[in-house]
Amino acid sequence: MTPPSNSNGKTYNVSLASFVITVSPEIKLLDLNVGDTVTFHITVRDSTHGFELLDPNGGVVIAPEIFKPGDVVDRTWTVQKKGTYTYFCVNSSCGAGHSSMTGEFSIQITTVPPDSGPRY
Ligand SMILES: [Cu+2]
């Protein structure tokens, strides 16, 4: 089935753990559109981890912040461009596996004007 193309207000669970960042459910290419409001529900598991999200041009989407173990925080952002977003831990002393605490997801904007057909 085709996912809804104009969904709004999506929430994803983001787990910061030693030493992996997990986004659930996985953000797939067609899941988000420009203008969508996205909430990252961030849970910090077992150590002092941090988080930052960058847009496809390296612009800051979620500002770098370091959390305490057990913190549960929501960070909401609005989709402004297509491309590949990257996220990572910003506490370089969180442990030996710090460098693996990174990941990315891509968004392919498919917004089509109401009066026209598919663009591809
Ligand atoms: Cu780290």
Side-chain angles (χ1 to χ4, degrees):
M1 295 297 289
T2 304
S5 61
N6 197 22
S7 52
N8 243 307
K10 296 207 164 191
T11 298
Y12 295 89
N13 291 305
V14 177
S15 163
L16 309 184
S18 301
F19 293 99
V20 64
I21 299 177
T22 306
V23 178
S24 171
E26 179 186 354
I27 301 176
K28 302 208 178 72
L29 270 183
L30 304 181
D31 285 354
L32 297 172
N33 264 311
V34 166
D36 280 358
T37 300
V38 181
T39 298
F40 275 9
H41 185 69
I42 300 170
T43 301
V44 187
R45 300 293 177 186
D46 48 12
S47 186
T48 302
H49 296 297
F51 191 78
E52 181 173 5
L53 176 67
L54 299 179
D55 75 13
N57 302 117
V60 175
V61 178
I62 296 177
E65 194 171 348
I66 292 178
F67 304 109
K68 299 189 303 295
D71 278 356
V72 179
V73 297
D74 285 349
R75 291 292 177 268
T76 297
W77 54 285
T78 301
V79 179
Q80 301 199 354
K81 54 190 80 166
K82 67 178 178 180
T84 300
Y85 290 67
T86 55
Y87 53 84
F88 46 89
C89 175
V90 295
N91 176 21
S92 59
S93 58
C94 73
H98 167 71
S99 61
S100 67
M101 292 187 69
T102 182
E104 63 180 40
F105 58 89
S106 294
I107 296 172
Q108 176 186 327
I109 303 300
T110 58
T111 306
V112 173
D115 292 332
S116 69
R119 285 177 176 168
Y120 57 93

